[in-house]
Amino acid sequence: MDTDSLLHRLGIEHPIIAAPMGGGPSTPELVAAVSEAGGMGCLAGAYLTPEQIDGEIRRVRALTGRPFAVNLFAGGYHAGIDRDPAPMLALMREVHGELGLPAPELPAIPPDPFEAQLRVVLDARPAAFSFTFGIPTADAMGRLRAAGIVVLGTATTVEEGRMLADASVDAVIAQGAEAGAHRGTFTGDFDAAMVPTLELTAGIAATGVPVVASGGLMDGRDVAAALAAGAQAVQLGTAFVPCPESGAAEVYKQAILAAVDDRTVVTRAFSGRHARGIENDFIQRMRTHAGDILSFPAQNTLTRPMRAAAAKRGEAGYLSLWAGTGAARARRLPAAELVRVLVDELREAQAAAGAS
Ligand SMILES: Cc1cc2nc3c(=O)[nH]c(=O)nc-3n(C[C@H](O)[C@H](O)[C@H](O)COP(=O)(O)O)c2cc1C
């Protein structure tokens, strides 16, 4: 193996990373299963307290001695409410009424937890750290480097990839327009940052930085195409949501397994940030209230009781069903088996390409 390669630096066998999936799917069991299978699992720390992140890291380490990553949100955090919240509160009061929940309250937004969360990561020293929504300060990047942690940052345009390379990340995660859940866009227009995964991968790889392709990749053939476009590894989210080790609500797993064609939409309805998911009642209802949506994380906090109640009741209409454009091709396999199948399909696709 090329000793400069990203896989070598991460200490993993296969070029497959299970995406960090905040809000439940990325359990320590999922992370450990993917790492044990020779890929790399990634804990989603952004919505967790420092104590919870510490606990999850310990749990992964109890399950595997293999390398894994931890992920945080490095930006995009608006401490406060950026507009009159009355219209959104009124709408949520209606929804709560229908779901039999107490009236919603205006969320109190604590200061950005990133620095306290990062301290836990620095102490625990996982093999890798990934981030999205921005770029950590030069000081934070220096501390990560000093701790010997491989750092991966998320870009949705070639320009963001360059900014990340300038901040000396070890690799850029090229998050294409097809990707499930939140867009990592942190500079420029959201609309201009909807670049298809393979296009973005090739564009960022051409700048010379190692690339991890992410977005809409569901099988080994997709992985082969991403590697052929210049990626050194891939990061799959939606493909891992239905795994038994995933902590996603059963109704959410079923929605992905039942998805047809490419019917996902990008919405700010649930969190205040653009994110891709399967269209449902809440997204449709919010279409006429786009101007009233609060910023992230206020909108996310405000809709949390609704989402939690919907998950508990198996009510898909009011749950964030995050999924990439490839959702219809998701399979229900244990995580380690999914990694094995992806690797087999990748080898087949590469052999077929070599033979032609
Ligand atoms: C349910 C879900 C939650 C996600 N949470 C995070 C997160 O916390 N941090 C992050 O960097 N990316 C997160 N992502 C985005 C992934 O890193 C990745 O870009 C995306 O899953 C790739 O597209 P795919 O879902 O089509 O594979 C999430 C994706 C999903 C599906």
Side-chain angles (χ1 to χ4, degrees), residues 280-342:
N280 62 1
D281 295 348
F282 187 66
I283 294 176
Q284 284 169 0
R285 193 161 174 168
M286 288 288 283
R287 288 246 158 81
T288 45
H289 302 273
D292 298 328
I293 296 174
L294 308 182
S295 52
F296 181 88
Q299 183 76 8
N300 199 50
T301 310
L302 181 62
T303 65
R304 188 169 288 136
M306 170 189 78
R307 290 181 282 121
K312 218 183 245 171
R313 291 176 199 182
E315 166 54 78
Y318 290 85
L319 193 59
S320 44
L321 304 170
W322 299 142
T325 54
R329 293 188 290 130
R331 302 171 269 200
R332 182 163 219 160
L333 293 173
E337 202 176 323
L338 179 56
V339 173
R340 270 194 296 276
V341 169
L342 288 167

Side-chain angles (χ1 to χ4, degrees), residues 71-302:
N71 170 270
L72 294 175
F73 295 164
Y77 193 96
H78 302 272
I81 308 285
D82 64 336
R83 65 189 60 232
D84 176 11
M88 189 47 58
L89 273 170
L91 181 87
M92 291 308 293
R93 201 170 302 122
E94 255 176 52
V95 174
H96 277 215
E98 291 162 25
L99 293 173
L101 294 172
E105 283 174 26
L106 191 61
I109 307 301
D112 188 345
F114 177 77
E115 182 54 38
Q117 293 169 322
L118 183 67
R119 277 200 291 275
V120 176
V121 176
L122 289 164
D123 284 346
R125 294 187 183 211
F129 169 71
S130 74
F131 61 85
T132 186
F133 298 179
I135 305 181
T137 60
D139 173 64
M141 290 296 289
R143 284 184 289 154
L144 284 157
R145 183 160 312 281
I149 299 170
V150 177
V151 181
L152 301 91
T154 308
T156 58
T157 58
V158 174
E159 186 194 350
E160 288 180 350
R162 278 204 192 92
M163 292 168 75
L164 290 164
D166 288 347
S168 17
V169 295
D170 295 287
V172 171
I173 299 166
Q175 188 192 40
E178 298 93 326
H182 288 113
R183 311 278 315 133
T185 307
F186 59 89
T187 186
D189 261 7
F190 159 77
D191 289 336
M194 292 298 276
V195 187
T197 300
L198 296 185
E199 211 73 66
L200 185 63
T201 296
I204 298 178
T207 69
V209 68
V211 176
V212 175
S214 191
L217 309 176
M218 301 301 292
D219 59 28
R221 251 184 5 169
D222 296 346
V223 178
L227 299 186
Q232 292 198 21
V234 294
Q235 176 164 292
L236 279 63
T238 305
F240 285 95
V241 173
C243 292
E245 297 90 342
S246 144
E250 188 54 31
V251 60
Y252 172 22
K253 293 183 181 184
Q254 289 302 337
I256 287 192
L257 291 168
V260 286
D261 304 335
D262 48 6
R263 267 182 260 158
T264 56
V265 292
V266 175
T267 181
R268 289 180 61 238
F270 287 104
S271 70
R273 272 193 80 96
H274 290 99
R276 184 182 292 285
I278 296 169
E279 185 165 32
N280 62 1
D281 295 348
F282 187 66
I283 294 176
Q284 284 169 0
R285 193 161 174 168
M286 288 288 283
R287 288 246 158 81
T288 45
H289 302 273
D292 298 328
I293 296 174
L294 308 182
S295 52
F296 181 88
Q299 183 76 8
N300 199 50
T301 310
L302 181 62

